[in-house]
Amino acid sequence: AKFKTQPLLKKGLEYYFSRDFTQAIDQFREAIIIDQKDPVLSLFLDRAQNYILNPPPQDWAGFEKLQQK
């Protein structure tokens, strides 16, 4: 399944890192239809959905700070 979702994940990440969260969500959702168990897809989908509601700061580089270990 990872092989089938790889192009969608790659395109979704391109949108995600360019701050086009709506397009990123579309790609991640399409990939999740193929592989519902991939935690990476779910993680980025959740983050992109959150960023639509709460946009990251202008200096955001696409990374999250860990709040706990």
Side-chain angles (χ1 to χ4, degrees), residues 11-42:
K11 192 67 175 171
L13 290 174
E14 288 174 12
Y15 286 127
Y16 179 86
F17 288 116
S18 67
R19 302 173 71 106
D20 187 347
F21 301 115
T22 302
Q23 291 290 345
I25 287 168
D26 290 344
Q27 297 297 306
F28 299 141
R29 282 184 177 155
E30 197 172 330
I32 286 172
I33 290 170
I34 297 168
D35 185 0
Q36 297 90 13
K37 295 181 181 180
D38 187 335
V40 172
L41 298 172
S42 296

